[in-house]
Amino acid sequence: VIGITGSYGKTSTKEFLSIILSSKFNVLKTENHINSEIGIAQTILNKLKPEHQIFIAEMGAYERGKIKQVCQMVQPKIGILTGISEQHLSTFGSLENTIKAKFELIEALPEDGVAVLNGDNKIVQSLKFKVQSYNSKLKIIKFCSTREENDIWAKNITVAKESISFTAFAKDGDSVDFQVNLIGGQNVENVLMAAVCAKELGMKLSEVAKTCEKIYSSNLS
């Protein structure tokens, strides 16, 4: 089970990850903007089958405790935190509450789980050395970035009218050129987070890049 949360970019990252992983695995994802505990529960009851190998759950929340409830239900092994912003302060009450709510996903991961975090987000980056204070038993924490070297990072980013291209590098020496038929440089961050997750599940960056050629705005649900 892969959980995805954050103040933005959840749906895009989920869609990219689903397309990438579906090239090797039988994948079920939450549809459209279904990200509440009720919607996720209905997806599990109505659509999750024994043949599914991976379940990707987008997790939304506007108050503390909600993501924790979803995690108790789905028990994620991998958690992706796309970023944290101040856009929902009116519902969370404070930035501190927002951070604690989103990090409920990281707290829920098992000892052999994987946390994937967006190093381009200023708030997440500021917490880089505090992640294990939310989950002291977690051993694998991966950061991705378009600005500096991390576990995976991008350089040579070109944003064209209808596509983005970049070179992705991984700390283990893996690297490859990406071309994705999407509009907007912000999608590089989302693709990188999906790529980190795919690598943790045994895919090479070359496999990820090849699958990303199939991503078009028109085939994203």
Side-chain angles (χ1 to χ4, degrees):
V1 177
I2 302 168
I4 302 176
T5 195
S7 300
Y8 56 87
K10 295 187 293 295
T11 301
S12 296
T13 303
K14 177 197 68 180
E15 295 294 339
F16 301 160
L17 184 58
S18 175
I19 291 171
I20 292 166
L21 294 183
S22 291
S23 67
K24 291 197 80 169
F25 304 97
N26 192 329
V27 178
L28 175 68
K29 62 182 171 73
T30 51
E31 295 295 333
N32 299 322
H33 294 279
I34 292 174
N35 58 25
S36 68
E37 64 269 36
I38 294 173
I40 294 169
Q42 288 175 335
T43 301
I44 292 169
L45 290 170
N46 298 328
K47 295 188 176 182
L48 188 62
K49 307 296 181 186
E51 58 266 27
H52 286 122
Q53 296 169 288
I54 292 175
F55 177 44
I56 305 173
E58 178 182 336
M59 302 178 180
Y62 298 99
E63 61 182 285
R64 287 175 60 181
K66 291 296 184 181
I67 291 175
K68 182 178 180 179
Q69 288 178 1
V70 173
C71 288
Q72 288 172 339
M73 176 172 58
V74 303
Q75 299 181 14
K77 180 77 174 287
I78 299 175
I80 301 175
L81 180 52
T82 61
I84 297 172
S85 72
E86 299 182 356
Q87 68 184 58
H88 296 129
L89 286 186
S90 59
T91 53
F92 281 112
S94 69
L95 180 58
E96 182 182 2
N97 281 338
T98 306
I99 292 170
K100 287 181 177 178
K102 301 304 182 184
F103 267 89
E104 287 172 6
L105 172 57
I106 308 304
E107 289 175 354
L109 297 174
E111 183 178 351
D112 60 345
V114 181
V116 178
L117 300 102
N118 181 5
D120 279 357
N121 178 260
K122 290 181 179 179
I123 295 172
V124 172
Q125 179 68 16
S126 71
L127 297 167
K128 184 171 185 176
F129 300 106
K130 297 181 180 179
V131 174
Q132 287 198 303
S133 67
Y134 292 95
N135 188 336
S136 59
K137 66 181 183 293
L138 188 63
K139 294 178 180 176
I140 305 176
I141 301 169
K142 301 287 184 177
F143 276 83
C144 59
S145 178
T146 63
R147 293 198 295 262
E148 61 181 49
E149 294 185 10
N150 267 296
D151 295 286
I152 189 168
W153 67 97
K155 286 186 175 180
N156 310 319
I157 299 170
T158 301
V159 180
K161 186 177 180 181
E162 295 183 350
S163 68
I164 53 174
S165 60
F166 58 93
T167 305
F169 299 86
K171 194 176 276 187
D172 63 6
D174 197 6
S175 66
V176 73
D177 292 332
F178 276 73
Q179 175 140 349
V180 191
N181 301 298
L182 293 168
I183 301 170
Q186 77 281 356
N187 283 306
V188 177
E189 299 174 21
N190 301 332
V191 171
L192 285 178
M193 286 184 283
V196 172
C197 187
K199 273 183 69 68
E200 287 300 312
L201 291 169
M203 293 182 69
K204 295 179 180 179
L205 281 181
S206 58
E207 294 177 286
V208 176
K210 187 170 182 62
T211 306
C212 281
E213 293 174 4
K214 302 175 185 177
I215 297 176
Y216 291 86
S217 298
S218 59
N219 66 9
L220 300 177
S221 62

